[in-house]
């Protein structure tokens, strides 16, 4: 995973607390606490750097040998079980004192060079009179929520109340007990819930989402800033969920939507203010589904006026409203850019440890991942000859979503558009997976108001903003905040799987690179994870069409260019990366304004070509064309 490759390890042992508060800022109105002069000093190489680099190289070589032995599967060379209880303090005691001192100094300099203080954003807002007004409820994305074991059977006792997703326990279990970890993390294919004897649940409270693993923050910077203007557990809440399940099972197993609805209603009664809802990534799809569930008779039962009565604003952060194209290769062949672009040695090790088929098996056994399959078909993503985000002079249209250079195989006969690739995925998957997808989700387009209104009664349509409408809440405000300017997966070159031992039919053609094609992955526009069309179309145009927004809900778009700090592994205060944007200074400032009742002061900021692309998308106010010219949009037939 890319976030693990970018992470900088802590200076202390693995027992170090994961939630260090950010130091007190020197000045409340400064978002960067390192001056240019100081930064220049920090970037100069200190004396003794050659000695430090020698020790870094030496220690890296030692760890490299161990890693190579592990990836090669040589149990004779190294006994990994012996490493299970290794204490990092013992390792440091065995190292030369000079090396430890140099390593700590190096890390301190790097940390000082990239440190920007989260509290400064909140302090600056507070100095301008911004304070807590609306109760705030946060709905996290996929990697944001930790999953912990509550099973008491013999196979689970060693993991009781330990996180098997989102902690170092997960890492250790994956290495030391891979079969056991897979058995816990994968859902039962028949029920879509826990296998017999297994009980994995979403961690709750702020601890569920503030950090993924020690030092790798997710929502922590937002929590720091909210606290600075007066938020605490009495007026802020994290609605964590088990993102592995299909949305219908959130309620069936955990009563997730009932609990969320109740918490919103209680917050409004206590504060006498409507709530502000924050969602990130897949959490935006979950929230969109919830808004339908909350109103629907026989489900939440709140009626058509519930959202108007209880919700002031929805802050949609990096929401994959039309899916994420990288989810399709993930469930088709267990691959994506992060695996395709590894070097040959890393690929060999990864395949020995967790093969493509195993990864695809895990992704398919997490039905929630499949909610992010591309939505809108060819109308949004293009056909064989055209796509709305094609660039001038582009040789092959992005509409050729899955491409094959070799047409000799029955699996690789012709290039596939998004319309064609979804059935292709289902044909090359297990029966249980096909039935789950067809029953749980829909990825089509509703062309008329009558179709939209009919879909309001069909739960499988509730994740799709192109088949359903926004709530009838004229005072609701939606803020679309997302990053732009970072290359993002847009299409793929595939080939027939040559490994006779593999259970897959096709795999990404990682040997092909050419221009915008990097190891079989075609790059386009987005935030590094979610494509620009998915993050921006509904905000730029889709929700401006009357059938999708009959109440005239106000929509504001604020794009944030990806301008990473080259000294920061997380991009610094101006990153537009899909996850790291949660620490972006300007995003935090905008969130505080909305929560503090100052959202009307936010002006739109569109710096990408999303409006131009949105006009090219073949979705119109009313059909306007003959039935024979209409493209097939219903990708999943209930």
């Amino acid at each position: 995973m890319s976030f693990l490759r970018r992470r900088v390890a802590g200076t202390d042992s693995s027992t170090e607390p994961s939630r260090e508060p950010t130091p007190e800022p020197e000045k409340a109105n400064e978002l960067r606490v390192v001056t240019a002069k100081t930064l220049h000093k920090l970037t100069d190489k200190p004396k003794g750097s050659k000695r430090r680099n020698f020790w870094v190289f030496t220690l890296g070589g030692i760890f490299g040998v161990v890693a190579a032995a592990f990836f090669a599967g040589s149990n004779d060379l190294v006994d990994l079980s012996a490493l299970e209880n290794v204490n990092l303090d013992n390792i440091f005691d065995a190292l030369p004192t000079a090396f430890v001192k140099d390593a700590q100094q190096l890390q301190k300099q790097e940390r000082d060079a990239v440190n920007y203080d989260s509290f400064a954003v909140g302090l600056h807002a507070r100095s301008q009179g911004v304070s807590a007004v609306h109760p705030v409820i946060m709905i996290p994305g996929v990697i944001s929520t930790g999953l912990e074991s509550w099973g008491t059977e013999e196979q689970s006792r060693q993991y009781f109340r330990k996180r098997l997703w989102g902690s170092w326990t997960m890492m250790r279990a994956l290495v030391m007990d891979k079969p056991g970890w897979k058995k816990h993390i994968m859902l039962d294919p028949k029920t879509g819930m826990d296998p017999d004897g297994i009980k994995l649940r979403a961690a709750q409270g702020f601890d569920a989402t503030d950090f993924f693993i020690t030092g790798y923050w997710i929502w922590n910077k937002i929590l720091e800033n909210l606290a600075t203007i007066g938020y605490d557990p009495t007026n802020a809440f994290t609605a964590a969920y088990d993102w592995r399940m299909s949305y219908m099972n959130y309620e069936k197993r955990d009563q997730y939507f009932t609990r969320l609805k109740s918490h919103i209603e209680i917050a409004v009664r206590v504060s006498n203010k409507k709530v502000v809802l924050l969602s990130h990534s897949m959490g935006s799809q979950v929230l969109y589904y919830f808004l339908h569930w909350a109103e629907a008779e026989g489900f939440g039962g709140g009626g058509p006026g519930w959202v108007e009565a209880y919700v002031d604003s929805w802050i949609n952060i990096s929401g994959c409203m039309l899916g994420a194209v990288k989810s399709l290769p993930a469930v088709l062949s267990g691959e994506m850019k992060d695996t395709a672009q590894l070097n040959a040695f890393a690929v060999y090790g990864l395949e020995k440890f967790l093969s493509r088929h195993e990864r695809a098996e895990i992704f398919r056994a997490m039905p929630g991942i499949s909610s992010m399959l591309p939505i809108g078909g060819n109308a949004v993503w293009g056909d064989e000859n055209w796509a709305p985000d094609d660039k001038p002079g582009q040789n092959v249209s992005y509409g050729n979503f899955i491409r094959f250079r070799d047409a000799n195989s029955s699996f690789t006969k012709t290039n596939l558009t998004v319309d064609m690739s979804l059935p292709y995925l289902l044909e090359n998957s297990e029966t249980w997976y096909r039935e789950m997808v067809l029953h749980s989700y829909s990825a089509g387009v509703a062309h008329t108001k009558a179709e939209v209104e009919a879909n309001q009664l069909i739960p499988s349509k509730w994740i799709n903003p192109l088949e359903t409408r926004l709530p009838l809440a004229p005072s609701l405000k939606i803020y679309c905040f997302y990053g732009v300017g970072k290359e993002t997966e847009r299409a793929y070159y595939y080939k027939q799987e040559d490994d006779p031992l593999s259970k897959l039919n096709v795999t990404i053609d990682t040997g092909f690179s050419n221009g915008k094609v990097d190891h079989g992955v075609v790059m386009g526009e987005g935030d590094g994870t979610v494509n620009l069309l998915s993050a921006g179309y509904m905000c730029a145009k889709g929700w401006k069409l009357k059938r999708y927004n009959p109440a005239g809900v106000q929509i504001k778009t604020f794009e944030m260019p990806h301008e990473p700090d080259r000294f920061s592994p997380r991009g610094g205060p101006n990153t537009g990366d899909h996850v790291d944007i949660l620490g972006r200074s300007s995003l935090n400032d905008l969130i505080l304004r909305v929560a503090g009742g100052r959202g009307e002061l936010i002006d739109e900021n569109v710096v990408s070509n999303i409006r131009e692309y949105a006009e090219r998308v073949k979705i119109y106010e009313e059909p306007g064309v003959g039935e024979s010219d209409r493209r097939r949009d219903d990708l999943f037939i209930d």
Side-chain angles (χ1 to χ4, degrees), residues 22 30-31 116-126 128 130-131 136 138 210 217-229 231 276 278 280 315 317-318 479 481-482 558 560 570 572-599 602:
T22 309
E30 291 184 0
L31 301 184
Y116 58 98
D117 189 47
S118 300
F119 287 124
V121 178
L123 290 170
H124 177 63
R126 193 170 71 186
Q128 294 183 324
V130 178
S131 62
V136 169
M138 293 160 275
D210 54 354
W217 48 262
I218 303 290
W219 285 82
N220 187 60
K221 294 183 180 295
I222 291 176
L223 293 174
E224 288 176 338
N225 285 310
L226 286 172
T228 305
I229 66 168
Y231 284 96
V276 168
L278 277 70
H280 175 246
I315 300 177
I317 306 169
S318 306
Y479 300 90
F481 300 150
Y482 57 88
F558 197 102
M560 303 179 192
R570 298 293 300 275
N574 296 307
T575 179
D577 176 81
H578 182 68
V579 174
D580 296 343
I581 198 173
L582 293 173
R584 184 182 176 112
S585 298
S586 58
L587 174 67
N588 277 253
D589 181 61
L590 293 170
I591 290 171
L592 298 187
R593 291 195 210 180
V594 177
R598 304 283 187 85
I602 297 174

